[in-house]
Amino acid sequence: MDKKINVTIWNEFVHENTNEACKKMYPGGLHLAIAAGIACDDFDIKYATLNQDDEHGLSEDVLKNTDVLIWWGHCAHDKVKDEIVDRVMKHVWEGMGIICLHSAHMSKVFRRLNGTTGKLLWREANERERIWCSNPGHPIAKGLPESFSLPYEEMYGEPFQVAPDAQPIFISWFEGGNVFRSGLTLQRGNGRLFYFRPGHETFPTFYDANVRKVIQNAVYWCNPTYRAAYPKTHRPDADEPITKKEVDFGKAGIVQD
Amino acid sequence: MDKKINVTIWNEFVHENTNEACKKMYPGGLHLAIAAGIACDDFDIKYATLNQDDEHGLSEDVLKNTDVLIWWGHCAHDKVKDEIVDRVMKHVWEGMGIICLHSAHMSKVFRRLNGTTGKLLWREANERERIWCSNPGHPIAKGLPESFSLPYEEMYGEPFQVAPDAQPIFISWFEGGNVFRSGLTLQRGNGRLFYFRPGHETFPTFYDANVRKVIQNAVYWCNPTYRAAYPKTHRPDADEPITKKEVDFGKAGIVQD
Amino acid sequence: MDKKINVTIWNEFVHENTNEACKKMYPGGLHLAIAAGIACDDFDIKYATLNQDDEHGLSEDVLKNTDVLIWWGHCAHDKVKDEIVDRVMKHVWEGMGIICLHSAHMSKVFRRLNGTTGKLLWREANERERIWCSNPGHPIAKGLPESFSLPYEEMYGEPFQVAPDAQPIFISWFEGGNVFRSGLTLQRGNGRLFYFRPGHETFPTFYDANVRKVIQNAVYWCNPTYRAAYPKTHRPDADEPITKKEVDFGKAGIVQD
Amino acid sequence: MDKKINVTIWNEFVHENTNEACKKMYPGGLHLAIAAGIACDDFDIKYATLNQDDEHGLSEDVLKNTDVLIWWGHCAHDKVKDEIVDRVMKHVWEGMGIICLHSAHMSKVFRRLNGTTGKLLWREANERERIWCSNPGHPIAKGLPESFSLPYEEMYGEPFQVAPDAQPIFISWFEGGNVFRSGLTLQRGNGRLFYFRPGHETFPTFYDANVRKVIQNAVYWCNPTYRAAYPKTHRPDADEPITKKEVDFGKAGIVQD
């Protein structure tokens, strides 16, 4: 590649400090395991976490220099400041890619980009998940088998309240009898979003080779081919002649830009 | 019909009190003209306005009893409280229909349901608009001609930043050389949204027979066939047996419901 | 209802005459069981079969008077004449609803309306299917439980090659480890299509109360609110003045209408 | 680029031999002008025409070695053999890109991939067209201005009968008062389709710099990132145990693969 893809992995980084099972599974934090799983010459990976500073590590400067933002959050969605959510959305609209993992389905960012609740069914029962690819021609599925399984996972089940234009790439089967659209793509403004379900904080999911491959593929897919300020409301002059009307109803004045 | 459709017309109702041209065109408020245009035996129409009380006239009780909410706002979008926006969205997700008119493209509700900026180009130049139906089989287009024109309107132009699943029903031609997707449908959760472009506050648009017909049709289309609390996150028991695993990684505890 | 919905159930009606298991399960034909399952005061149900006449029972007159066509076919897709397929598509484009059941995923009509192959994985192993509703607010899901199971079914599995705008209403879980988008809606021209997976010819699926309810709901949903000849190519006069150009490049002549 | 993109420009090549105005505007054929407009180091361009051989120049070998097929046809759509249409569709489903230009909206290939009629309004009146970009972040719009105009074009007008998942990239304004979704993207199987409206056979459209840029961009966008045989129906063994049922209903036998 001509230029490396700048990846920022944002991790809530709370469970790793409060829950023994999580701390043991992901010493140093989930973000380190995610990074290890996708690392390659094409990526330049940085980290950001909820409590590292008062901008959750997501300053304007960080986001401006991020091509693809990876998001993992779970128990502190409501601790993410609205102004940072707005900033992330602005960058997505301008072209920044975003990958929401697992419990990020309830993050403010994911729900806002969908315009929905993001809600679903769930069960924490250490059960087997089998993930089927429903769109094998999609770049995110490149190199993946027809299906693959994870021996231990939390269950997420339908109905999953997402926007109707979310395109399924993966659909999961769970041992306990549930199904779920586990991989979904979405476009908002100039930016691409990929949601991927697996990744429970106490299970070894982020060490799985197929899970890592999916996330790596998604970084390539979400990397913007174009990035620009989303259209600022503006008032163009007319390109074609406007006839003088017989009446003038007046104007109501300038509105917000 | 077995039961009347309960329509609530929400009007910002600011221009009518501050701008002479608007006051003259719509004495008593835009909401009265909109109501007059769609009134029929099947509808029970009520009003709500920004400053009528500290809930903008949109109490839980009002929304619970509203089948279709019509929204007109322009210069005071930022005065609408976030908690009321959240309440409106909850009701849309549960099935309430919503019709966003004209400058409501920048309302918090419209932008949030799209997950986009809602931005566009615009020009206030008293120009002719011609509206083409791009989906004549849609119920909202019922009884409308192939195209119709409005002699005096504000221009809205592409690019219009909406969600990709917004389906165009009408597309406008403007005298000054612009085009715009003037009628768009969207689904979020159980609820239907229709956006309709015409309706500038100082022009006689809401007295136009075709405009009135479109809005009336849209009320029928947005009226929910089903309304229920959107799926509350819940934790179902397994329907199928889950094998006992050789390892137990522990749990991270309960998350928000 | 003001007027009954005219339903035509088209059944290939081959297995019932050639396969003992099918004949025993559905004496008289699958169409009779489907009809018995959806019958109600609002529907006027008729039948058509592949070999009843040289138009497969689908004359212009029959289709003109059909609001919703139900299609079951399996081993004789290639026996359906192209001219009849074209006729069915024309009526769908004009507004006729169509419900494709089970193995109709490989029918010419289904594949043509999708623009895809309709292919999938399958296994005939007498296994349990559990069907989850992924869009509980959709009219087709009305009155159905969160999920329901069928004790004996053929398996259909992802990837399912359908058009990307096919909206999932139901997603199936199979005992053998597969998943499938079992209920899908589609719009083509003025007409609505619903695909529903269950319905293997030797299993008692069409006697299941939930399956019957889904198909009955789908008839209501597919029933056209508007039906008209799809736009015939026409050459309108200009509504706005076209300036006389300095050059005339000539014309290439009339094309097909 | 590591490897050139193999582009095949298919031109009906009839008007150029029968119509004086067309012959004079595009000596040697429209395909030469299209090729001249998009030529660059990254592309290896070849031609194919309706009457060059009994496969319209589109043998299995040619299509297998084509990354992106450009299609221009007008007065001889019905002369294209169904078996060649089937072959083109198979390659699109496997990943080959396709760009349909202007009157290719009525080609068998375009209509089949949409599952619709492809019909529209039209007028041959030498009028000005202004093309607006409705999705400036899309790679096909890269380097293009907010809008551009063509002084002389045929008019195509809404309603345009395409599949609902066709995403508008460009929308046109016509001097005579019509509008049209002039640039649309679609996905079918593994392949991408782009439809672009301008390109009347007697007007100098294919010499316009912006039109050429759009088509060149579209070649890059349609170039497959993945190409593989679309899923062949197959019968996988069960990954999970299927319980022995108390009844055996029998099988109906093997269906088509």
Side-chain angles (χ1 to χ4, degrees):
Chain A
M1 299 187 74
D2 298 341
K3 146 189 180 307
K4 294 204 176 211
I5 300 176
N6 292 307
V7 179
T8 300
I9 303 179
W10 188 88
N11 182 15
E12 189 181 87
F13 202 30
V14 172
H15 286 306
E16 296 93 329
N17 298 309
T18 58
N19 176 275
E20 283 308 311
C22 180
K23 190 187 299 187
K24 193 172 157 195
M25 184 58 76
Y26 294 107
L30 282 151
H31 49 293
L32 299 188
I34 295 168
I38 64 173
C40 64
D41 284 350
D42 289 341
F43 299 174
D44 188 345
I45 301 175
K46 292 194 172 63
Y47 307 114
T49 55
L50 181 68
N51 296 316
Q52 76 176 75
D53 58 31
D54 59 8
E55 297 182 292
H56 313 318
L58 298 173
S59 67
E60 176 61 27
D61 196 56
V62 164
L63 290 179
K64 208 167 58 189
N65 292 295
T66 297
D67 296 310
V68 180
L69 179 66
I70 296 178
W71 193 280
W72 196 99
H74 185 222
C75 62
H77 293 317
D78 60 342
K79 298 287 190 303
V80 179
K81 294 176 186 172
D82 283 336
E83 67 177 276
I84 304 301
V85 172
D86 289 343
R87 186 185 290 163
V88 169
M89 291 185 75
K90 181 183 81 82
H91 282 279
V92 171
W93 291 330
E94 294 187 9
M96 183 182 74
I98 185 164
I99 299 171
C100 291
L101 296 175
H102 192 59
S103 42
H105 71 94
M106 285 299 282
S107 65
K108 290 181 182 178
V109 165
F110 182 77
R111 298 167 75 172
R112 288 274 201 87
L113 289 169
N114 274 275
T116 64
T117 66
K119 295 206 172 184
L120 44 78
L121 311 187
W122 62 281
R123 180 174 56 232
E124 201 174 351
N126 198 10
E127 65 193 283
R128 185 163 59 261
E129 174 178 14
R130 180 167 293 278
I131 300 176
W132 288 90
C133 180
S134 58
N135 187 350
H138 197 282
I140 293 180
K142 195 175 173 181
L144 272 294
E146 202 170 56
S147 79
F148 62 94
S149 70
L150 298 170
Y152 321 105
E153 253 295 350
E154 183 184 19
M155 183 281 287
Y156 279 10
E158 295 283 343
F160 186 18
Q161 283 271 348
V162 288
D165 55 327
Q167 288 289 318
I169 312 296
F170 299 102
I171 301 179
S172 287
W173 176 101
F174 287 95
E175 204 181 351
N178 295 75
V179 294
F180 192 72
R181 286 169 288 169
S182 279
L184 291 170
T185 61
L186 210 66
Q187 174 101 15
R188 286 297 177 268
N190 297 339
R192 288 172 164 185
L193 181 154
F194 178 61
Y195 173 78
F196 193 47
R197 197 213 76 79
H200 190 55
E201 63 273 10
T202 63
F203 292 137
T205 304
F206 287 121
Y207 301 113
D208 181 86
N210 287 313
V211 167
R212 290 174 155 198
K213 182 72 180 160
V214 169
I215 302 173
Q216 191 186 60
N217 283 347
V219 169
Y220 284 105
W221 182 77
C222 287
N223 183 35
T225 51
Y226 178 86
R227 188 160 183 171
Y230 51 89
K232 182 167 165 50
T233 304
H234 78 93
R235 282 162 280 159
D237 290 334
D239 292 304
E240 305 284 339
I242 297 174
T243 59
K244 174 90 182 123
K245 302 297 185 297
E246 68 281 15
V247 287
D248 180 358
F249 297 103
K251 300 186 181 186
I254 302 309
V255 294
Q256 66 191 102
D257 274 284
Chain B
M1 298 188 75
D2 298 341
K3 144 188 180 309
K4 295 205 178 211
I5 300 176
N6 291 307
V7 180
T8 301
I9 303 180
W10 189 88
N11 181 15
E12 187 182 89
F13 202 30
V14 172
H15 286 307
E16 295 93 329
N17 298 309
T18 58
N19 176 275
E20 284 307 312
C22 181
K23 191 186 299 187
K24 194 172 156 195
M25 184 59 76
Y26 294 107
L30 282 150
H31 49 292
L32 300 187
I34 295 168
I38 64 173
C40 63
D41 283 350
D42 290 341
F43 300 172
D44 188 344
I45 301 176
K46 293 195 172 64
Y47 307 114
T49 55
L50 180 69
N51 296 316
Q52 77 177 74
D53 58 31
D54 59 8
E55 297 182 291
H56 315 316
L58 298 173
S59 67
E60 177 60 27
D61 195 55
V62 165
L63 291 179
K64 208 168 55 189
N65 291 295
T66 297
D67 296 311
V68 180
L69 178 66
I70 297 180
W71 194 280
W72 197 100
H74 186 221
C75 62
H77 293 317
D78 59 344
K79 299 288 191 300
V80 179
K81 293 177 187 172
D82 283 336
E83 66 177 276
I84 304 301
V85 172
D86 289 343
R87 186 185 290 163
V88 169
M89 292 185 74
K90 180 182 82 82
H91 282 278
V92 171
W93 291 329
E94 294 187 8
M96 182 182 74
I98 184 165
I99 298 172
C100 291
L101 296 174
H102 192 58
S103 41
H105 71 94
M106 286 298 283
S107 65
K108 289 181 182 177
V109 165
F110 182 77
R111 298 166 77 173
R112 288 275 199 87
L113 289 169
N114 275 274
T116 65
T117 67
K119 295 206 169 184
L120 46 77
L121 310 187
W122 61 282
R123 181 174 56 231
E124 203 173 351
N126 199 9
E127 65 193 283
R128 185 163 60 262
E129 174 178 14
R130 180 167 292 279
I131 299 176
W132 289 89
C133 179
S134 58
N135 188 350
H138 197 283
I140 293 180
K142 196 174 174 182
L144 273 294
E146 201 170 57
S147 79
F148 62 95
S149 70
L150 299 169
Y152 322 103
E153 253 297 349
E154 183 184 19
M155 183 281 288
Y156 279 10
E158 296 282 342
F160 186 18
Q161 284 271 349
V162 288
D165 56 327
Q167 289 289 319
I169 313 298
F170 299 103
I171 302 178
S172 287
W173 176 101
F174 288 94
E175 205 180 350
N178 295 75
V179 295
F180 192 72
R181 285 169 288 168
S182 278
L184 291 170
T185 60
L186 210 66
Q187 174 101 15
R188 287 296 177 267
N190 296 340
R192 289 172 162 185
L193 181 155
F194 178 61
Y195 172 78
F196 193 46
R197 197 214 75 80
H200 190 55
E201 63 273 10
T202 64
F203 292 137
T205 304
F206 287 120
Y207 301 114
D208 180 87
N210 287 312
V211 166
R212 290 174 154 199
K213 181 72 180 160
V214 169
I215 302 172
Q216 191 187 61
N217 283 347
V219 170
Y220 284 106
W221 182 77
C222 288
N223 183 35
T225 50
Y226 178 87
R227 188 161 183 170
Y230 51 89
K232 183 166 166 49
T233 303
H234 79 94
R235 282 163 281 159
D237 289 334
D239 292 303
E240 304 284 339
I242 297 174
T243 59
K244 173 90 180 124
K245 301 298 185 295
E246 68 282 15
V247 288
D248 179 358
F249 296 103
K251 300 186 182 187
I254 303 307
V255 293
Q256 68 192 103
D257 272 283
Chain C
M1 298 188 75
D2 297 341
K3 143 189 180 313
K4 294 205 177 211
I5 300 176
N6 292 306
V7 180
T8 301
I9 303 179
W10 188 88
N11 182 15
E12 189 182 89
F13 202 30
V14 173
H15 287 306
E16 296 92 330
N17 298 308
T18 59
N19 177 275
E20 284 306 313
C22 181
K23 191 186 300 186
K24 193 172 157 197
M25 184 59 76
Y26 294 108
L30 283 151
H31 49 291
L32 300 188
I34 295 169
I38 64 173
C40 64
D41 283 350
D42 290 340
F43 300 173
D44 188 345
I45 301 176
K46 293 194 171 61
Y47 307 114
T49 54
L50 180 68
N51 296 315
Q52 76 177 76
D53 58 31
D54 58 9
E55 298 181 292
H56 315 315
L58 299 173
S59 67
E60 177 60 27
D61 195 55
V62 165
L63 290 179
K64 208 168 56 189
N65 291 295
T66 297
D67 296 311
V68 180
L69 178 66
I70 297 180
W71 193 280
W72 197 99
H74 185 222
C75 62
H77 293 315
D78 59 343
K79 299 287 191 300
V80 179
K81 294 176 186 172
D82 283 335
E83 67 178 277
I84 304 302
V85 172
D86 288 344
R87 186 185 290 164
V88 169
M89 292 185 74
K90 180 182 82 81
H91 282 279
V92 171
W93 291 329
E94 294 186 9
M96 183 182 74
I98 185 165
I99 298 172
C100 291
L101 295 174
H102 191 59
S103 41
H105 71 95
M106 285 298 283
S107 66
K108 290 180 182 178
V109 165
F110 182 77
R111 298 166 76 173
R112 288 275 199 86
L113 288 169
N114 275 275
T116 64
T117 66
K119 296 206 169 183
L120 45 77
L121 310 187
W122 62 281
R123 181 175 56 232
E124 203 173 351
N126 198 11
E127 66 194 281
R128 185 162 61 260
E129 174 178 15
R130 180 167 292 279
I131 300 176
W132 289 90
C133 180
S134 58
N135 187 349
H138 197 282
I140 293 180
K142 195 174 173 180
L144 273 294
E146 201 170 58
S147 79
F148 62 95
S149 70
L150 298 170
Y152 321 103
E153 252 296 349
E154 182 184 19
M155 182 282 288
Y156 279 10
E158 295 282 342
F160 187 18
Q161 284 271 349
V162 288
D165 56 326
Q167 289 288 318
I169 312 298
F170 299 103
I171 302 179
S172 286
W173 176 101
F174 287 94
E175 204 180 351
N178 295 76
V179 294
F180 192 72
R181 286 170 288 169
S182 278
L184 292 170
T185 61
L186 210 65
Q187 173 100 15
R188 287 295 178 268
N190 296 339
R192 289 172 163 186
L193 181 156
F194 178 61
Y195 172 79
F196 193 47
R197 197 213 77 78
H200 190 55
E201 62 273 10
T202 63
F203 293 137
T205 304
F206 288 120
Y207 301 113
D208 181 86
N210 287 313
V211 166
R212 290 173 155 201
K213 181 73 179 158
V214 169
I215 302 173
Q216 191 187 61
N217 283 347
V219 169
Y220 284 105
W221 182 78
C222 288
N223 183 33
T225 50
Y226 178 87
R227 188 161 184 171
Y230 52 89
K232 182 165 165 52
T233 303
H234 79 93
R235 282 163 280 158
D237 289 333
D239 293 303
E240 305 284 339
I242 296 174
T243 59
K244 172 90 180 124
K245 301 299 185 297
E246 69 282 15
V247 287
D248 179 357
F249 296 104
K251 300 185 181 186
I254 302 309
V255 292
Q256 66 192 103
D257 273 283
Chain D
M1 299 189 76
D2 297 340
K3 142 188 181 311
K4 295 203 175 211
I5 300 175
N6 292 307
V7 180
T8 301
I9 304 179
W10 189 87
N11 182 15
E12 188 181 88
F13 202 30
V14 172
H15 286 306
E16 296 94 329
N17 299 309
T18 58
N19 176 273
E20 283 307 311
C22 180
K23 190 187 299 188
K24 193 171 155 196
M25 185 58 78
Y26 294 108
L30 282 151
H31 49 293
L32 300 188
I34 294 169
I38 63 172
C40 64
D41 284 350
D42 289 341
F43 300 173
D44 188 345
I45 302 175
K46 293 195 172 62
Y47 307 115
T49 55
L50 180 68
N51 296 316
Q52 76 177 74
D53 58 31
D54 59 7
E55 297 182 291
H56 314 316
L58 298 173
S59 66
E60 177 61 27
D61 195 56
V62 164
L63 290 179
K64 207 167 57 189
N65 291 294
T66 297
D67 296 310
V68 180
L69 178 67
I70 297 179
W71 193 280
W72 197 99
H74 186 221
C75 62
H77 293 317
D78 60 342
K79 298 287 190 300
V80 179
K81 294 176 186 171
D82 283 336
E83 67 177 274
I84 304 301
V85 172
D86 289 344
R87 186 185 291 164
V88 168
M89 292 186 74
K90 181 182 81 82
H91 281 279
V92 171
W93 291 329
E94 294 188 8
M96 183 181 74
I98 185 165
I99 299 171
C100 291
L101 295 175
H102 191 59
S103 41
H105 72 95
M106 286 298 283
S107 64
K108 290 180 181 177
V109 165
F110 181 77
R111 298 166 76 173
R112 288 274 200 88
L113 289 169
N114 274 275
T116 64
T117 67
K119 296 206 170 184
L120 46 77
L121 310 187
W122 62 282
R123 179 173 58 232
E124 203 174 351
N126 199 11
E127 65 193 283
R128 186 162 59 263
E129 174 177 15
R130 179 167 293 279
I131 300 176
W132 288 90
C133 180
S134 58
N135 187 350
H138 197 283
I140 293 180
K142 195 175 174 182
L144 272 295
E146 201 169 58
S147 80
F148 62 94
S149 70
L150 299 170
Y152 322 104
E153 253 296 348
E154 183 183 19
M155 182 282 287
Y156 280 11
E158 294 283 341
F160 186 19
Q161 284 271 348
V162 287
D165 56 327
Q167 289 289 316
I169 313 296
F170 299 103
I171 302 179
S172 287
W173 176 102
F174 288 93
E175 204 180 351
N178 295 76
V179 295
F180 192 72
R181 285 169 289 169
S182 279
L184 292 170
T185 61
L186 211 65
Q187 173 100 17
R188 286 297 177 267
N190 296 340
R192 289 171 164 186
L193 181 155
F194 178 61
Y195 173 78
F196 193 47
R197 196 213 76 80
H200 190 55
E201 63 273 9
T202 63
F203 293 137
T205 304
F206 287 121
Y207 301 114
D208 181 86
N210 287 312
V211 167
R212 290 173 154 200
K213 181 71 180 161
V214 169
I215 302 173
Q216 192 187 60
N217 284 347
V219 170
Y220 283 106
W221 182 77
C222 288
N223 184 35
T225 50
Y226 178 87
R227 189 161 182 169
Y230 52 88
K232 182 168 166 48
T233 304
H234 78 94
R235 282 162 280 159
D237 290 334
D239 292 304
E240 304 284 339
I242 296 174
T243 59
K244 174 89 180 124
K245 301 298 184 296
E246 68 282 16
V247 287
D248 179 357
F249 297 103
K251 300 186 182 188
I254 303 308
V255 293
Q256 65 192 104
D257 274 281

